[in-house]
Amino acid sequence: MKCKNLTLYLSAIMLTISTPTLGASEMTKAPIDTIFAQGEKNPYGKFFTGQTYLNMLSEKDDIFNAPIGNVTFEPGARTNWHSHSGGQILLVLNGEGRYQEQNGELRILHKGDIVRIAPNVKHWHGAAPDSWFTHISIETNVPNNTTTWQEPVTDEEYK
Ligand code: MN
């Protein structure tokens, strides 16, 4: 009897261990065509609200000096407020997005839109509340372009 209980107990433990769980690297596949691969969970996620994914299409290096990344946002996801000392250009690939500069009008973004962000202009970009969104980010005026991350975009500001 005692032995049987032990067997059941061990079986339960093994079942628990072998049950697949959602790992931290699990990603949700975007339901829109991201054109380029969606990439991994954004390693800069702490500067964003909601889940985003990053695929560096051209890494920062001394040969090209042209960092280009593909960023995919889940609905409602957005960057914190931030600025780029060398500016940034966004090329919208798919979905519906949002862009806003400090004290500026909210801009609705669609496929094919281009956003040119001048150096040191405080701004944020992200997805619409009910749509996935993908844009290419081009860092300009490299290699001396640094990003200064600031406070999150509150729900009030986002709406
Ligand atoms: Mn930016």
Side-chain angles (χ1 to χ4, degrees), residues 14-74:
M14 292 310 291
L15 189 67
T16 305
I17 290 172
S18 63
T19 302
T21 50
L22 237 81
S25 63
E26 288 290 323
M27 55 176 268
T28 304
K29 179 84 177 72
I32 56 172
D33 184 1
T34 58
I35 313 296
F36 298 96
Q38 186 173 326
E40 304 297 324
K41 283 189 173 180
N42 192 343
Y44 303 98
K46 65 178 177 180
F47 301 121
F48 290 66
T49 296
Q51 189 60 60
T52 58
Y53 300 87
L54 176 64
N55 174 15
M56 285 308 293
L57 307 178
S58 171
E59 295 282 354
K60 188 170 195 168
D61 60 31
D62 296 335
I63 301 170
F64 297 99
N65 276 316
I68 300 171
N70 194 22
V71 188
T72 299
F73 301 75
E74 284 188 349

Side-chain angles (χ1 to χ4, degrees), residues 39 76 95-96 139:
E96 184 184 307
E139 292 178 45

Side-chain angles (χ1 to χ4, degrees), residues 82 84 88 117 123 125:
H82 65 283
H84 311 278
Q88 181 185 35
I117 306 160
H123 67 280
H125 29 109

